Amino acid sequence: MNKIEKVFNINIVLLTVFSSLEMLRNEKNIELIYDICPTVPRELRGDPERLQRVLSQLLTFVFENSDQKEILLSLSSPEDFLVEENISFMIHETEISKDKVSDFLETGLSKTIEILEGKIVDDKTFDIYIDIPFKINELGFRRHYRLPDIAMMGKKILLLCKSEKVAKSIKKMFKYFLYNVDEGFEEFKNNGSDLAAYDILLLDDKYVTDEFNHIIAKVQQEIPLKYVLLRDEHILENTNTVSTHLIKPVTQESIYELIVSLFRNNLNCREIKPEGKKYILDIEKVLKKLEKPEALSKLAQYKLERDNLSTVIEEKRRVKEPVLDKVIGEENTKKIGLNYSEELQNFVETFDRSDRYFREIVNEKATGKIKEFCIDLEKNSKLIGAQSMFKLADTVSLIFVYDKLDLLPIYPGKYHLELEQLLKEIRKYLDA
């Protein structure tokens, strides 16, 4: 069998795996964290489909057999990634027996790993350790993420996150861009509790209250502080105080995109912060003081979000998205070495008349098939810049997240109309 060598973005593979495991993660209440070594290239040559299959099967096994609430998947590679090197995929602290892990790897994954020319490594430090060779797509580059302007590098950030594992992985990814990261309340106190010393406050949204957002709004009147919330998907944040959001799972590419979004409009304003300017705030004390005396249980929070689904959908409906944003689509395909016209043609071939199939699986209440269909539709729509279709697929996904399957029957008709408009736009582009 010839070895497949497609150009692919490792971040897209990781996000696709994360998405495909959403139902199981929610069912088991597990947080999946990616810890990516800065030496891992962004674009690789290899077999992304088989890699995705290996990671999905591997994590499914871990989720089903571990009682841990945080699973850390680490990726690393050699310092000098010259032409072809191993990328290591490692998981530890699962508390799954060694024999059970070995049996699974040998019977469930060994053949696919062998096709990828990878190997299972016996390492006592990690519960699972797999090496898979890939070729680099950009020969001669040591930095795999290059910011458009040097002024975006070397900022200072205060990172306050409830999960130590999440915080450490994010800190590592910011340090790639030479950021000075103070992690946690203690480091903030030890460095003077001065918010004016920071360019960015990155705060876990589990800490946030409306009162705290008002406090930060006052702070921003005094100092140019970027305020970023770390959050899960499908949670709306309605405040002008927040500069933007960092969505889990965090990858090296999402950190790159966050930095660009925060500072791309400030490149002409390279002012040095005035000496002596301070804004002292005991954030830990403020957050504890503002914390609600009795937090909602996870079940109560889930029910509240489920009941508010109609409001969430209405908010999404009000935002008009273009049927086909060609600029975004061309940028997306260029990033991963694909031809935009070819991907448009692939979309037509894949989804033409898929409205009939979607209606059938909704009528059959085949929830597994509906979920898989929505994941494929989201991924392909996002790639080609089909913004309106992506929003529709995302909305249907929300119905699963909030367990409101009784709303599904209205969506085959919506999808039919959306698909007609999108295919018309694509064909117009291809015929031009």
Side-chain angles (χ1 to χ4, degrees):
M1 180 180 292
N2 293 329
K3 188 176 179 181
I4 294 174
E5 285 194 5
K6 290 183 182 177
V7 177
F8 69 95
N9 185 326
I10 187 66
N11 299 279
I12 291 178
V13 170
L14 294 174
L15 292 175
T16 304
V17 169
F18 186 88
S19 236
S20 68
L21 297 171
E22 181 177 18
M23 293 183 75
L24 182 55
R25 286 188 291 105
N26 290 339
E27 179 186 332
K28 298 277 290 185
N29 191 26
I30 290 174
E31 178 156 21
L32 173 59
I33 305 162
Y34 293 136
D35 183 33
I36 306 171
C37 180
T39 58
V40 174
R42 176 190 203 170
E43 291 188 341
L44 298 163
R45 289 182 179 272
D47 190 339
E49 284 79 16
R50 280 202 174 91
L51 173 61
Q52 180 182 322
R53 196 179 312 153
V54 165
L55 295 180
S56 295
Q57 290 178 320
L58 180 62
L59 289 166
T60 298
F61 165 77
V62 172
F63 292 169
E64 289 177 343
N65 292 278
S66 175
D67 292 326
Q68 298 290 83
K69 293 307 175 187
E70 290 183 328
I71 296 298
L72 188 73
L73 173 63
S74 300
L75 282 70
S76 71
S77 62
E79 182 70 29
D80 292 314
F81 204 115
L82 299 176
V83 179
E84 183 176 68
E85 303 287 351
N86 283 333
I87 292 184
S88 301
F89 300 87
M90 301 159 289
I91 303 175
H92 64 149
E93 297 179 358
T94 63
E95 296 188 359
I96 306 172
S97 73
K98 193 74 175 174
D99 289 342
K100 195 168 189 177
V101 170
S102 297
D103 288 345
F104 166 73
L105 291 175
E106 291 300 327
T107 60
L109 282 185
S110 59
K111 287 184 179 178
T112 309
I113 293 172
E114 187 178 334
I115 292 172
L116 290 168
E117 298 184 0
K119 62 180 179 180
I120 299 164
V121 181
D122 186 10
D123 188 306
K124 293 181 180 178
T125 309
F126 297 93
D127 295 352
I128 298 169
Y129 192 127
I130 298 171
D131 275 344
I132 300 175
F134 292 97
K135 290 183 179 178
I136 192 169
N137 188 48
E138 44 174 8
L139 296 175
F141 290 103
R142 290 177 64 86
R143 295 192 67 80
H144 309 299
Y145 300 85
R146 293 177 288 280
L147 292 169
D149 195 287
I150 195 171
M152 294 180 176
M153 298 182 70
K155 306 289 185 181
K156 188 166 184 179
I157 179 169
L158 175 60
L159 171 59
L160 302 175
C161 182
K162 290 218 168 184
S163 166
E164 185 177 343
K165 289 180 180 177
V166 172
K168 289 192 180 305
S169 69
I170 291 175
K171 182 174 182 177
K172 179 188 292 184
M173 288 185 268
F174 268 111
K175 291 184 79 172
Y176 178 92
F177 299 105
L178 308 182
Y179 274 49
N180 184 352
V181 183
D182 284 349
E183 175 201 335
F185 296 110
E186 285 305 312
E187 283 195 18
F188 179 54
K189 286 179 183 177
N190 293 339
N191 288 308
S193 300
D194 180 16
L195 274 176
Y198 299 93
D199 299 286
I200 304 171
L201 167 61
L202 176 52
L203 187 71
D204 193 325
D205 74 343
K206 296 179 180 67
Y207 286 121
V208 177
T209 63
D210 290 338
E211 293 89 342
F212 183 73
N213 284 340
H214 291 318
I215 291 172
I216 295 299
K218 292 179 181 178
V219 171
Q220 289 172 324
Q221 292 174 6
E222 301 291 329
I223 58 175
L225 180 69
K226 305 290 187 184
Y227 177 35
V228 180
L229 288 187
L230 173 67
R231 66 177 181 86
D232 299 312
E233 288 185 301
H234 307 315
I235 300 174
L236 293 180
E237 175 59 41
N238 298 314
T239 171
N240 294 326
T241 307
V242 178
S243 304
T244 189
H245 303 92
L246 181 61
I247 308 299
K248 297 177 185 176
V250 181
T251 65
Q252 190 69 62
E253 186 157 65
S254 62
I255 295 294
Y256 167 86
E257 291 172 347
L258 173 70
I259 292 171
V260 172
S261 71
L262 287 175
F263 297 109
R264 64 186 165 199
N265 295 325
N266 302 104
L267 296 180
N268 296 324
C269 306
R270 305 185 185 190
E271 299 178 358
I272 299 174
K273 291 183 181 178
E275 291 291 332
K277 182 72 175 178
K278 290 183 178 291
Y279 201 105
I280 308 300
L281 180 66
D282 189 337
I283 292 183
E284 184 177 23
K285 184 177 180 181
V286 169
L287 289 173
K288 284 184 177 178
K289 183 179 178 182
L290 295 175
E291 190 176 12
K292 296 174 184 177
E294 188 175 343
L296 287 173
S297 68
K298 193 169 185 70
L299 178 61
Q301 181 67 36
Y302 175 79
K303 287 180 177 177
L304 178 62
E305 290 173 350
R306 183 191 62 192
D307 293 341
N308 288 336
L309 176 59
S310 58
T311 304
V312 174
I313 291 176
E314 179 61 23
E315 288 290 336
K316 291 174 78 67
R317 189 186 67 78
R318 288 176 187 170
V319 180
K320 296 294 182 183
E321 299 285 0
V323 175
L324 185 64
D325 192 318
K326 304 168 190 67
V327 174
I328 289 177
E330 288 171 352
E331 287 178 355
N332 289 344
T333 50
K334 185 179 179 181
K335 281 180 185 177
I336 55 176
L338 299 175
N339 179 279
Y340 184 51
S341 295
E342 289 178 3
E343 292 309 308
L344 288 177
Q345 187 60 48
N346 288 340
F347 187 94
V348 173
E349 292 172 2
T350 303
F351 290 98
D352 190 18
R353 299 184 181 179
S354 61
D355 48 342
R356 298 179 183 177
Y357 172 71
F358 184 59
R359 185 178 297 278
E360 285 176 8
I361 58 178
V362 169
N363 290 340
E364 293 169 3
K365 299 180 180 178
T367 54
K369 291 181 180 179
I370 298 169
K371 183 64 179 174
E372 287 178 8
F373 179 81
C374 288
I375 290 171
D376 288 341
L377 183 61
E378 277 189 77
K379 182 176 69 174
N380 286 277
S381 299
K382 184 175 183 180
L383 177 65
I384 65 171
Q387 304 293 83
S388 185
M389 180 65 84
F390 176 78
K391 186 175 74 171
L392 177 67
D394 183 55
T395 302
V396 177
S397 296
L398 279 173
I399 291 172
F400 286 92
V401 172
Y402 293 111
D403 193 24
K404 293 287 285 183
L405 302 183
D406 54 307
L407 293 178
L408 273 175
I410 68 171
Y411 281 92
K414 291 178 180 289
Y415 177 60
H416 171 73
L417 295 174
E418 193 71 49
L419 184 65
E420 272 192 338
Q421 293 180 61
L422 177 56
L423 293 180
K424 183 179 178 182
E425 288 293 313
I426 291 175
R427 286 170 175 140
K428 187 190 300 182
Y429 178 91
L430 294 175
D431 292 340

